[in-house]
């Protein structure tokens, strides 16, 4: 018996699993600054500044400001402004507004992202097999409404339901986001569900804690993958390998 025959639902992480970023963060900050006649900021400083600013915003206003009822654009404007300041760049309000608008528009489009070539075929295959397919992501509403559709990953043809932290007010690794997904799938039992992600802490451990099957993708040959395996996780290189595993007659107890 294959694992596929025991499943009724598959949930999938987004970034690192279905899609990836193209280029560097500095590329988009540079283009935005140059569009208003400003010099290109230093890539390394901007990257470090963004990491610190994002971490602080996520701690202060988690789930993109959900609990504080902070508009998405305000959350990102605060984060981007702080990123520049930490990197040593201060602009007057008018200049910053123009730069920010360019950055916000870029990351709300398909431009900074690429879809892994096996993503769409895998999602369609799973739905053709009669499985419910869900998206679970620490992301804001634009992923659901704009970015995924612009990348050809559409609700109704590639996935059935989505659970996005910015819309739910709960984020991975909180197990509640997985419980929400099970409810949204139509109260499908956890043991009849498989979650696929790329983080032991955010995907594998919390999914398993609610009783779901789970496995991890190592698309970029990360050094952490060996530790994932030692923790008991099945680690595969891509979604084609997942498809082969699920279809194998020897996979029933694999995950």
């Amino acid at each position: 018996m294959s694992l596929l025959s025991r499943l009724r639902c598959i949930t999938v992480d987004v970034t690192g699993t279905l899609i990836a970023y193209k280029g560097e963060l500095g590329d988009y900050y540079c283009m935005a600054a140059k569009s208003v006649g400003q010099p290109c900021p230093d890539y390394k400083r901007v990257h470090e500044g963004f990491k610190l600013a994002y971490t602080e915003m996520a701690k202060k206003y988690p789930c993109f400001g959900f609990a504080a009822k902070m508009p998405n654009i305000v959350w990102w404007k605060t984060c981007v402004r702080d990123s520049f300041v930490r990197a040593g760049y201060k602009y007057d309000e008018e200049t910053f507004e123009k730069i920010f608008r360019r950055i916000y528009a870029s990351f709300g489009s398909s431009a900074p992202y690429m879809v892994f070539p096996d993503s769409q075929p895998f999602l369609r295959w799973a739905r053709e097999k009669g499985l419910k397919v869900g998206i679970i992501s620490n992301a804001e509403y634009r992923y659901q409404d704009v970015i995924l559709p612009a990348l050809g990953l559409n609700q109704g043809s590639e996935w059935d339901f989505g659970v996005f932290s910015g819309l739910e007010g709960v984020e991975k690794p909180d197990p509640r986001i997985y419980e929400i997904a099970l409810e949204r799938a139509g109260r499908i039992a956890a043991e009849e569900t498989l979650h696929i992600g790329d983080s032991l802490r955010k995907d594998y451990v919390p999914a398993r804690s609610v009783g779901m099957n789970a496995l991890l993708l190592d698309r970029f040959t990360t050094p952490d993958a060996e530790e994932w395996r030692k923790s008991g996780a099945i680690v595969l290189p891509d979604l084609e390998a997942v498809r082969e595993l699920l279809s194998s007659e020897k996979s029933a107890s694999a995950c």
Side-chain angles (χ1 to χ4, degrees):
M1 181 187 290
S2 67
L3 176 57
L4 183 64
S5 65
R6 293 200 294 111
L7 295 177
R8 294 176 59 204
C9 177
I10 289 179
T11 59
V12 191
D13 167 57
V14 177
T15 309
T17 302
L18 296 177
I19 71 174
Y21 289 109
K22 284 194 301 193
E24 296 183 55
L25 181 77
D27 293 333
Y28 302 96
Y29 279 52
C30 178
M31 284 189 290
K34 289 173 77 173
S35 72
V36 295
Q38 295 293 319
C40 185
D42 181 83
Y43 275 38
K44 185 176 180 181
R45 281 159 53 195
V46 163
H47 183 70
E48 290 302 315
F50 176 79
K51 281 202 299 186
L52 292 169
Y54 185 91
T55 299
E56 184 168 310
M57 282 298 289
K59 187 177 179 181
K60 221 169 156 183
Y61 302 103
C63 301
F64 304 95
F66 181 89
K69 294 183 168 54
M70 179 182 289
N72 188 67
I73 193 168
V74 173
W75 195 97
W76 279 112
K77 183 181 285 190
T78 307
C79 183
V80 171
R81 189 194 304 275
D82 193 29
S83 300
F84 276 120
V85 170
R86 288 173 184 269
Y89 299 95
K90 292 186 179 179
Y91 304 106
D92 63 71
E93 192 57 37
E94 184 181 353
T95 301
F96 172 73
E97 183 67 28
K98 291 175 182 176
I99 291 173
F100 169 71
R101 290 283 176 177
R102 178 76 176 255
I103 291 170
Y104 189 72
S106 292
F107 283 95
S109 72
S110 62
Y113 313 96
M114 56 83 69
V115 183
F116 293 112
D118 57 1
S119 295
Q120 189 183 71
F122 176 81
L123 297 176
R124 290 188 173 185
W125 170 79
R127 295 185 78 246
E128 285 167 4
K129 291 295 181 181
L131 301 178
K132 284 273 184 75
V133 175
I135 302 290
I136 304 178
S137 179
N138 284 355
E140 34 109 339
Y141 79 92
R142 292 184 298 171
Y143 263 57
Q144 174 179 271
D145 297 349
V146 183
I147 296 168
L148 290 179
L151 292 168
L153 301 177
N154 294 284
Q155 188 170 8
S157 55
E158 280 73 42
W159 49 282
D160 298 290
F161 65 91
V163 184
F164 298 89
S165 63
L167 296 172
E168 305 296 338
V170 59
E171 61 190 7
K172 299 188 286 185
D174 190 327
R176 287 181 298 162
I177 199 167
Y178 293 92
E179 292 169 347
I180 292 170
L182 290 172
E183 289 176 12
R184 202 148 294 167
R187 298 190 180 279
I188 290 175
E191 60 268 23
E192 296 177 310
T193 305
L194 169 67
H195 180 67
I196 304 168
D198 71 331
S199 167
L200 185 73
R201 186 177 73 88
K202 293 182 179 180
D203 291 299
Y204 185 82
V205 171
R208 295 291 291 146
S209 76
V210 301
M212 295 167 74
N213 300 282
L215 58 81
L216 295 171
L217 294 192
D218 178 26
R219 290 193 181 273
F220 303 105
T221 321
T222 172
D224 294 337
E226 197 50 46
E227 288 303 314
W228 300 349
R229 291 186 179 94
K230 287 177 182 176
S231 298
I234 287 180
V235 183
L236 297 173
D238 52 40
L239 289 170
E240 184 54 41
V242 176
R243 181 172 169 172
E244 290 173 10
L245 176 70
L246 295 183
S247 301
S248 168
E249 291 300 317
K250 299 177 181 179
S251 69
S253 59
C255 300

